[in-house]
Amino acid sequence: MRIVRYEHQTSRGYGLVEGDMIRPLAGPPFDGVRMSRGAAVPLADARLLAPCEPSKIVCIGRNYAAHAAEHHAPVPTEPLIFLKPPSALLAPGEAIELTPLSAQIEHEGELVVVIGRRCRHVPVEQAFDVIFGYTCGNDVTARDLQRKDGQWARAKGFDTFCPLGPWIETDLDPMHAAVTCLVNDVVRQQGTTADLIFSVAQLIAYVTQVMTLELGDIMMTGTPAGVGPLQAGDHVVVRISGIGELRNPVVSS
Ligand code: MG
């Protein structure tokens, strides 16, 4: 299934994508997909929103060895977790706003896990029971502020620094997804989740030792090598095989 959140005329909600149409759902899909009686709308006529409304955005740092190496950072011996605020979420097609507080704002294309069940202390072997699906994300980062601050809340937390979408794909093998990030149609990052240091299942187990995950919460699984700067006027695409493409322009604030 492909699940979107969308606006069309006066309606706003979750929908199921079938071909080039969206069939509206009666509510959030996480505890069961229920169709509403509303009319289907053409995908092309809808404005897509970020595909879920997480209470928190859990992120994993340095989860690809080649990306750790490009920052001369050691490969972590356990997952490195941090949070982005939900206020950073950005819909597909909307603009990433550069901030004058940073001179080095970079893209990080990532596979994103969407949680489908309230959970804590999930064993590795049951991790897939709590996953609803997967989407594309861009962990936009003010690299200079990340270095300067020592912790990452400011560098990762600006409004618009968490593009997400275009939809949630429920049928995906997260162990073998190709993750590509293009800027102005030039490939900057090209990786595969087969190279994750800590697998999706290991990450769910690790994170839920710390915090309860809620329906619709998301976990960004880390970025492959090739991160680089964004400039006003750029167009960024995060493409994940089996999901689709998340596209966002970049503007100055
Ligand atoms: Mg990242």
Side-chain angles (χ1 to χ4, degrees):
M1 287 186 298
R2 284 189 169 166
I3 302 290
V4 285
R5 276 180 70 238
Y6 70 103
E7 282 181 349
H8 180 255
Q9 296 173 351
T10 57
S11 62
R12 177 189 178 96
Y14 287 90
L16 176 66
V17 178
E18 289 186 342
D20 55 3
M21 300 294 286
I22 300 173
R23 294 179 61 204
L25 300 184
F30 306 108
D31 53 0
V33 170
R34 296 173 304 280
M35 308 312 299
S36 88
R37 296 208 178 113
V41 302
L43 186 57
D45 293 350
R47 188 170 83 85
L48 296 188
L49 308 171
C52 56
E53 299 177 281
S55 75
K56 52 191 167 301
I57 301 167
V58 184
C59 305
I60 310 299
R62 298 179 196 141
N63 201 23
Y64 291 81
H67 172 60
E70 73 184 345
H71 287 152
H72 309 289
V75 172
T77 54
E78 58 185 337
L80 173 61
I81 71 176
F82 62 97
L83 297 168
K84 282 168 100 81
S87 48
L89 282 169
L90 187 70
E94 294 198 347
I96 298 165
E97 291 180 17
L98 304 179
T99 165
L101 297 175
S102 170
Q104 189 186 3
I105 295 170
E106 298 191 340
H107 55 83
E108 294 190 359
E110 309 197 7
L111 174 71
V112 179
V113 176
V114 181
I115 298 299
R117 189 182 295 179
R118 188 167 203 266
C119 58
R120 195 167 182 220
H121 297 306
V122 179
V124 172
E125 57 274 15
Q126 289 171 21
F128 290 105
D129 297 348
V130 307
I131 295 174
F132 179 75
Y134 303 88
T135 189
C136 309
N138 192 341
D139 175 20
V140 179
T141 302
R143 196 70 65 198
D144 47 355
L145 303 185
Q146 183 184 27
R147 267 188 233 106
K148 180 179 175 186
D149 290 357
Q151 50 74 32
W152 304 354
R154 181 166 67 143
K156 302 277 193 176
F158 287 91
D159 285 9
T160 77
F161 273 25
C162 191
L164 193 73
W167 41 60
I168 303 168
E169 172 60 64
T170 59
D171 304 310
L172 183 84
D173 173 7
M175 314 287 281
H176 300 92
V179 179
T180 307
C181 183
L182 304 94
V183 177
N184 305 330
D185 300 321
V186 176
V187 173
R188 291 264 190 95
Q189 297 181 268
Q190 197 157 36
T192 165
T193 57
D195 291 337
L196 286 175
I197 296 169
F198 300 102
S199 70
V200 165
Q202 288 173 310
L203 294 175
I204 296 274
Y206 187 87
V207 169
T208 61
Q209 288 177 3
V210 180
M211 61 187 85
T212 300
L213 296 179
E214 308 281 354
L215 283 68
D217 278 356
I218 61 174
M219 185 177 71
M220 306 188 74
T221 57
T223 201
V227 299
L230 294 172
Q231 316 284 351
D234 284 348
H235 286 265
V236 193
V237 176
V238 177
R239 177 189 296 155
I240 299 182
S241 60
I243 303 177
E245 289 187 350
L246 169 65
R247 300 173 159 272
N248 298 92
V250 180
V251 299
S252 54
S253 60

